[in-house]
Structure formats: structure tokens, C-alpha cells
Amino acid sequence: MPFATLPGEVVTTIRAYDADLESVVQYSLVSGDRNTFTIDPRTGDLSLLRTVDREAEESFRLVVRAEDGQHQSDINVLITVEDANDNIPAFISSSFSFDVYESAAKGTQVGKVTATDADKNENADISYALLTEWGNEVFSLNPSSGIFTLTSSLDYERTEHYMFVVSGTDHGEPQLSSTVTVYINVKDVNDNVPSFTQGIYKAEVAEDATLGSSILQVEATDLDSD
């Protein structure tokens, strides 16, 4: 069936021949979906009554009869619905969130985004792409698999979160696409040494100070979390 066949368009023409010269052949649908197809009794033109959806029904089986008033003959007709790129890729989640430790090595697979398309063949093949530029030097996205891979070192103390906008585009004509937001959260590891706030502390204490008296307070900080 042609691309975007509309109601009223002829799908195919059925022809029957009668050896009797004076005979007039009439055509009719004996069985099948009469709400979807109709046949012109004189010409045998088989036409659509409504639009069809391959995702709902991929084929139709009809039985067409040709008769001349005295004799009749039936034929089976199989109508196959060709796919049109009428479905937009849909991501399986409204957003994606992945965690990765700051100690992860380059080449670590962080997570995978997935979209599906109800069409078939190349109309259902999806390519993924990053639409945001920030963070592209830290993570890469495989256009075929949708897998995020770490391509640089991470530092929780510098950047805790990355956010990307990813598109999923099918290979049909016209190309259809959708987008999703991806969050990558860097998890802290204990990679920082505690550091005193001063290099030297000095204090004086009276010789008659009682036991337990406060003499000096020292302070150290750690850049790690928790």
C-alpha cells in the first residue's frame, strides 16, 4: 500500500475475464473488513474507506467475487500495510539519573538512555545525541547504544552534578525526534587529607591553672563530604 494512502484512494484493481462476449462482470466483497475497504462493482477498483494504522493491523484478508449473473468466481486478496514514519521516539523514562564515584577510571560506563519507536525497520532505528555542550569533555554518548562513558577524571569537590539534554532521532523520512534530561551525580570518596586552619598554634597558660582549664582550640577541615 503506498505511503500515506488516504480514504477514497484506489489500493488495487481486481480484474476478471469472461469468455462470453455479452457477459457483464460485477464485483463484490464476499468477506473481509467492509468498514475499511470497498470495491467498485463495475471497475473492480478496491478503495479505502478509512485510514489504516500498521501499528494496529499489519494486513487484511479479503475475498472478492466476480459474477456475470449466472456464474461466479472468488479470489483471496491479501492487503499488506506498509509502515509510515508516524511515531515519535519515546524515552522509557521522563528523565534519567546516574551515579558515578569520583574515583571511577576513564572508560567507565556510567549509564544508558533508551528510547523506543512503534514503527518498524529504519523508521524505528534510533540515534542518540547530546544537545548540551557543557560536560561533553567529561562524558561521551554512544549514538547507537545510548551509553554514557566517562572520558575524563572527576572531582567531587569541584563539580558534584552534570546535566545533559539528549535527543533520540529515528532514521525515517521525515526524521522524528524527542528529548530527555539526563542527570549524572558524582559520588564522593575519601580522597582528601584533613588540613589544620593554621600552620602553628601558640598559647600561654598560667602556672596555677586548674586541671581541665581550656588553653587553646585547634581546628582542621576536610574537603570531603559527610
Side-chain angles (χ1 to χ4, degrees), residues 140-162:
S140 66
L141 176 63
N142 186 298
S144 300
S145 66
I147 294 176
F148 274 91
T149 301
L150 181 63
T151 57
S152 181
S153 58
L154 296 172
D155 186 354
Y156 171 86
E157 287 69 44
R158 293 183 61 184
T159 307
E160 296 183 25
H161 307 284
Y162 293 86

Side-chain angles (χ1 to χ4, degrees), residues 88-168:
I88 298 175
F91 284 93
I92 63 173
S93 179
S94 58
S95 65
F96 292 87
S97 181
F98 308 121
D99 295 335
V100 57
Y101 282 99
E102 63 174 331
S103 58
K106 296 179 183 180
T108 299
Q109 292 186 354
V110 177
K112 178 179 180 180
V113 296
T114 302
T116 60
D117 194 311
D119 295 314
K120 64 186 299 187
N121 300 330
E122 65 179 12
N123 291 337
D125 293 336
I126 299 173
S127 293
Y128 304 95
L130 290 173
L131 300 184
T132 46
E133 296 182 359
W134 181 77
N136 291 8
E137 73 284 357
V138 182
F139 299 94
S140 66
L141 176 63
N142 186 298
S144 300
S145 66
I147 294 176
F148 274 91
T149 301
L150 181 63
T151 57
S152 181
S153 58
L154 296 172
D155 186 354
Y156 171 86
E157 287 69 44
R158 293 183 61 184
T159 307
E160 296 183 25
H161 307 284
Y162 293 86
M163 185 183 74
F164 300 93
V165 177
V166 174
S167 67

